Amino acid sequence: MTKRNRVFAAILLAYAIGVGWLMWRLLADIDPRYRESAEESLVEVAHIMAAQIEQRWDERAVSPAEPEIDVAVLEPLFRDLYARQLDADIFGFKKTRIELRMTVVDASGRVIFDSLGRAQGADHSQWRDIHLALQGRYGARTTPDLVNDATTAVMYVAAPLKRDGQIVGAVSVGKPAQSFGQFIEAARRKTIVIGFSFAMLVLADAYKEVFTTLPILLQPIFGSSLMLGTTCAVVLNAIMRIGVRQRERIRIEMKPDYRDTVEQ
């Protein structure tokens, strides 16, 4: 190998490492950004539902001696929501059903309503979101429906229920991470395609003389940085879409003995 080739190989290696590190950072940052956006929406939903339940006391003019939290309206509400068939096209992805879930607990952390009907009467006082909400603090957690299976993770946010300034319960709303996982996968694919194609474009433009030594059949592609970048984008996008399909979502029963660590 000539000195010229060794220098080129060293520069190419350094360039590849730099681009690879940048791509790794960008890809690693996609998932947290989507989760932050989803959590912000869950915060609003939790407080909306808490306010709705609190207003029921005012509408019914319940006496202070009656501490019961009125959740009678929630069961038919969620039964109707889960029965609805949606046909929402969100940037090419189909949403066909409601995936939001909700639980309401009393002051002791006992579940008095569960939209999925799985935890009625259970003690949720040690779940992180409920535990903190009952103390008047911000409570959030991410817990898998199936232990040690991150693909079944569900994000939860809880808000306190107050009556006469006293916390008498909490509302926890959750959304499966898999519901927005397809957007994360699509964003990662696009980032890889664009990043790699741009890197090849810059490389071809910076070292034109190297690519001119390639066989004449490859010159139409490698002889133009724009053509090389476009070709890489098309081919890489086609390769990465192999096997991409709409996934069937399933409901997995939560193991009753699994709890997130409570943050004191």
Side-chain angles (χ1 to χ4, degrees):
M1 180 181 292
T2 65
K3 182 178 180 180
R4 174 190 174 90
N5 288 339
R6 286 197 298 269
V7 172
F8 175 74
I11 295 175
L12 181 62
L13 178 61
Y15 181 73
I17 293 175
V19 171
W21 179 83
L22 178 60
M23 292 293 296
W24 177 77
R25 290 296 303 270
L26 290 174
L27 292 173
D29 198 48
I30 290 176
D31 184 77
R33 298 294 81 79
Y34 272 88
R35 289 179 181 270
E36 288 171 0
S37 178
E39 182 174 338
E40 192 270 343
S41 297
L42 287 175
V43 170
E44 295 184 352
V45 174
H47 282 275
I48 288 173
M49 298 306 296
Q52 180 65 29
I53 295 174
E54 291 170 353
Q55 287 182 357
R56 296 279 294 177
W57 280 309
D58 298 332
E59 294 172 357
R60 294 167 57 213
V62 178
S63 66
E66 185 179 342
E68 182 180 356
I69 300 174
D70 185 7
V71 294
V73 70
L74 297 178
E75 183 175 350
L77 171 65
F78 276 91
R79 184 169 61 245
D80 179 69
L81 284 175
Y82 289 152
R84 294 192 178 196
Q85 295 296 317
L86 308 181
D87 186 21
D89 189 338
I90 307 174
F91 294 100
F93 295 98
K94 290 289 186 179
K95 183 173 179 61
T96 59
R97 70 184 185 187
I98 301 294
E99 295 178 293
L100 186 75
R101 56 181 71 178
M102 172 178 166
T103 57
V104 180
V105 302
D106 59 18
S108 66
R110 180 180 62 87
V111 177
I112 58 177
F113 171 76
D114 176 18
S115 63
L116 299 183
R118 302 187 308 196
Q120 196 75 17
D123 180 12
H124 279 193
S125 61
Q126 295 306 303
W127 286 110
R128 184 178 181 276
D129 58 326
I130 297 295
H131 181 81
L132 296 176
L134 291 176
Q135 297 178 3
R137 300 160 62 190
Y138 174 64
R141 63 183 167 96
T142 299
T143 304
D145 275 350
L146 189 63
V147 180
N148 297 326
D149 186 355
T151 62
T152 65
V154 181
M155 297 179 61
Y156 294 93
V157 170
L161 286 170
K162 296 182 179 180
R163 186 179 183 198
D164 297 329
Q166 300 296 318
I167 296 178
V168 296
V171 174
S172 176
V173 295
K175 190 173 181 63
Q178 65 181 359
S179 65
F180 55 86
Q182 56 189 345
F183 298 105
I184 295 177
E185 293 177 2
R188 284 173 174 166
R189 287 198 306 271
K190 292 176 181 178
T191 301
I192 292 174
V193 170
I194 294 175
F196 181 80
S197 301
F198 182 75
M200 292 301 296
L201 186 151
V202 172
L203 188 64
D205 195 52
Y207 297 97
K208 290 182 180 180
E209 66 280 2
V210 175
F211 290 101
T212 56
T213 61
L214 295 174
I216 191 170
L217 291 177
L218 300 178
Q219 288 302 316
I221 297 177
F222 290 90
S224 169
S225 59
L226 181 60
M227 180 61 71
L228 178 59
T230 303
T231 302
C232 288
V234 173
V235 173
L236 190 58
N237 184 65
I239 293 175
M240 296 193 68
R241 290 196 64 82
I242 295 176
V244 175
R245 58 184 175 84
Q246 296 293 334
R247 296 179 179 176
E248 181 66 22
R249 292 175 174 79
I250 59 174
R251 295 188 183 277
I252 303 176
E253 292 298 326
M254 184 182 300
K255 292 182 179 295
D257 59 342
Y258 181 83
R259 293 179 177 178
D260 273 352
T261 301
V262 174
E263 183 178 281
Q264 300 294 342

